[in-house]
Amino acid sequence: MRHGVTRLAIIAVLLVTIGGAAAGEAGSSPLPDDRLGIRTAPLLLLSRPDVRADLRLDAPQTESAERVITELHARAEALKGKSGPQAVADRKAIDEAQRLWFEAHLTAHQQNRLLQIDLQWEGPSALVNRPLVAEMLNLTPEQRATLKQAVAQRDAARASHTHTPAHEQTLAKQALSVLTSSQKERWRVMLGNPFVPQLASSKKPDQMAR
């Protein structure tokens, strides 16, 4: 990839414990549409038919993904509310199991594409929530502060249940307005080709302006 953005570097950005973001939103069922824009574990994205289709997973890969999602989700659920060294170690073990599954069952191309889809799924908030992304784009303190405020406004709409696709579109425009031309190009390289989620609603939020 251009600009020194390597798969090994990005995978450090993407690994999220199944027991973390959106853990309660997927087990045997697909990750729901309303999680679009919220960071989640990359493995949970494979519960969605549109993501599997984009990656062109074959039947054995799909079956294996469903099994490991169910298994790791159950392990994560068992850790809810727990703290201490053992709980931390158990969550790290889930991360490691996720990583090993990627390496064992996905091709290098599929791994790269999943990393891109994961960033697209979260969208502009990745610029705030993922320190390595901010570092790779060389965001200034002022840029980070402006982006953090924009994401906070979007999150407030979610919390008040007034969130609409328009909030995601506004956030996308605000984020791009903060980036320099060079940063925009690096961000586009990290995102790769557009992933268009197949949403149940007829109102499909625009992907981040490219």
Side-chain angles (χ1 to χ4, degrees):
M1 299 176 72
R2 291 172 289 172
H3 304 291
V5 181
T6 66
R7 184 171 66 85
L8 290 178
I10 296 179
I11 203 163
V13 181
L14 300 180
L15 283 179
V16 182
T17 306
I18 301 292
E25 302 295 338
S28 58
S29 59
L31 191 70
D33 294 346
D34 63 9
R35 304 306 294 185
L36 183 64
I38 299 177
R39 188 179 185 184
T40 186
L43 186 60
L44 296 185
L45 291 173
L46 296 183
S47 68
R48 292 184 59 91
D50 49 6
V51 175
R52 296 199 297 260
D54 189 290
L55 267 61
R56 298 184 180 180
L57 296 192
D58 59 25
Q61 286 176 312
T62 297
E63 292 172 3
S64 180
E66 290 175 346
R67 286 196 300 270
V68 75
I69 288 170
T70 299
E71 174 193 342
L72 295 186
H73 181 263
R75 287 169 59 180
E77 285 291 300
L79 291 173
K80 275 192 171 180
K82 294 185 178 180
S83 59
Q86 186 58 53
V88 171
D90 289 344
R91 290 187 177 96
K92 288 183 177 179
I94 293 174
D95 275 343
E96 179 66 5
Q98 178 183 210
R99 183 186 67 79
L100 291 175
W101 188 91
F102 289 155
E103 293 183 353
H105 295 86
L106 299 183
T107 66
H109 175 76
Q110 288 172 327
Q111 290 181 58
N112 278 327
R113 183 55 180 161
L114 180 58
L115 303 183
Q116 293 172 346
I117 292 174
D118 185 68
L119 281 178
Q120 291 187 48
W121 181 269
E122 182 176 0
S125 61
L127 301 170
V128 172
N129 297 331
R130 309 194 189 199
L132 188 53
V133 170
E135 180 182 336
M136 294 169 77
L137 294 182
N138 197 27
L139 297 180
T140 66
E142 292 77 13
Q143 286 177 312
R144 296 184 193 213
T146 300
L147 289 166
K148 185 176 181 179
Q149 183 178 13
V151 170
Q153 291 173 344
R154 190 281 308 274
D155 290 346
R158 282 188 180 276
S160 64
H161 304 290
T162 60
H163 179 265
T164 67
H167 288 92
E168 297 299 327
Q169 296 168 20
T170 298
L171 176 59
K173 292 177 181 177
Q174 289 175 323
L176 285 183
S177 71
V178 170
L179 302 180
T180 66
S181 297
S182 175
Q183 290 169 332
K184 289 176 185 177
E185 175 60 19
R186 292 183 186 182
W187 179 234
R188 290 189 180 102
V189 170
M190 294 173 71
L191 294 177
N193 293 328
F195 164 69
V196 181
Q198 301 302 302
L199 305 179
S201 170
S202 58
K203 291 186 177 181
K204 297 182 180 181
D206 291 344
Q207 293 297 292
M208 181 176 182
R210 306 177 65 80

